[in-house]
Amino acid sequence: MHQTESTEGTTSATEERSDIVTPTQTVSPDTSTTAPTEGMTKNDNEQSAPTGTEPEATSSSPSTETKPKDEKPQPTTEAVKPTDPPVEETKPSATFPNEQEEQKATAADVNAIALKMVEYLNAYRTEQGSPAATVLPGLTQYAEYRSRQLVSNFAHDAFDERAAATALEYGSYIDPSLFGMNGDPYYTANAREAIAKTDFGGSVDAVAVRLARLARNSSSHWSYVGSADYTYIGVGITYENGIWFCDIAVTGSNTDAT
């Protein structure tokens, strides 16, 4: 099945952004383009599944002197081919799903996928010694809002980020006039984010694993998504036209309390 995946990370509105590349199954911190096939940017590509080779079946000619006529031939053997091995040597302690046995996720499962993603991201964090991130309801609503914006504008757009925070009145209130500048007051979430999209079709668990791995396997994004300095998290998922859009927002302080 043809799949397209991409993940991007960003800094807050006051921080510089760089390292934008989008090949396949892309991960790029600041901007992105649609990626044609599975892969990742910045040398963070998921490794393709190794394929085993099938040995040739061998048999010997039956001997009429020693082998009865009704003896059944011995079955040939085939090499077992591994499927979708983890890119990293370490992986969450949770058991990965058997996609063939589980029902495929639908738009009704976006919240379940987001919760599963947090589980996997926290499993990755604890494996490396970082504390599990705490889910903030307000930050989650912000991430959900951002994921809906990604459907029409898959980018780290400061105006979209401000629009999301302002619509929810979430984060810090900023009045430009207090700084001698023009413009309407707005809110900022003071969060760093990684965004992703994929047309991968699988179970709730499988989609969550796929998106969590994108963040984990990108060193630039994992530097803050998995950092002990960012202890609060919100994950939002939107499903539109066969594509999962994801926003991972992390902060170092409880922005719900501001």
Side-chain angles (χ1 to χ4, degrees):
M1 173 179 123
H2 176 71
Q3 302 175 24
T4 303
E5 303 190 1
S6 63
T7 306
E8 299 193 3
T10 187
T11 60
S12 62
T14 59
E15 296 178 305
E16 293 183 359
R17 305 173 182 181
S18 60
D19 63 350
I20 304 128
V21 190
T22 17
T24 61
Q25 190 169 284
T26 26
V27 180
S28 58
D30 291 312
T31 60
S32 69
T33 58
T34 304
T37 54
E38 289 191 345
M40 299 182 73
T41 64
K42 297 185 66 59
N43 297 322
D44 294 317
N45 296 343
E46 288 188 303
Q47 299 173 358
S48 60
T51 58
T53 58
E54 296 185 358
E56 296 182 357
T58 59
S59 61
S60 58
S61 301
S63 171
T64 54
E65 297 179 358
T66 59
K67 185 175 181 180
K69 294 173 63 177
D70 59 349
E71 183 177 345
K72 295 182 180 179
Q74 295 297 319
T76 60
T77 58
E78 295 184 354
V80 178
K81 298 181 179 181
T83 58
D84 195 22
V87 175
E88 301 288 335
E89 293 181 359
T90 58
K91 59 187 178 183
S93 57
T95 302
F96 286 170
N98 184 335
E99 298 169 18
Q100 294 182 345
E101 296 179 358
E102 297 187 26
Q103 184 176 1
K104 288 188 176 182
T106 68
D109 298 311
V110 291
N111 291 335
I113 292 173
L115 290 175
K116 276 291 182 182
M117 273 194 69
V118 172
E119 289 182 19
Y120 284 110
L121 290 172
N122 275 335
Y124 285 133
R125 285 172 63 95
T126 55
E127 283 177 356
Q128 70 177 24
S130 297
T134 300
V135 176
L136 294 178
L139 188 61
T140 297
Q141 291 180 352
Y142 169 78
E144 290 171 348
Y145 199 108
R146 285 287 294 125
S147 73
R148 293 191 293 272
Q149 291 176 319
L150 298 178
V151 175
S152 58
N153 184 24
F154 186 75
H156 299 292
D157 189 312
F159 291 103
D160 280 353
E161 293 169 8
R162 292 179 182 181
T166 301
L168 298 170
E169 296 186 354
Y170 183 78
S172 300
Y173 178 78
I174 305 295
D175 185 349
S177 66
L178 298 178
F179 303 94
M181 297 185 295
N182 298 323
D184 296 329
Y186 61 89
Y187 282 81
T188 178
N190 292 320
R192 300 190 71 174
E193 70 173 17
I195 63 177
K197 66 178 179 179
T198 178
D199 60 0
F200 176 74
S203 66
V204 167
D205 225 16
V207 174
V209 167
R210 179 74 63 137
L211 292 169
R213 281 178 177 170
L214 287 175
R216 175 64 184 91
N217 294 332
S218 170
S219 58
S220 61
H221 304 94
W222 191 248
S223 66
Y224 55 90
V225 174
S227 172
D229 294 332
Y230 294 89
T231 54
Y232 297 96
I233 191 171
V235 175
I237 306 287
T238 293
Y239 184 72
E240 189 75 25
N241 297 325
I243 299 176
W244 303 99
F245 295 87
C246 171
D247 183 275
I248 304 170
V250 293
T251 67
S253 59
N254 187 346
T255 48
D256 276 19
T258 57

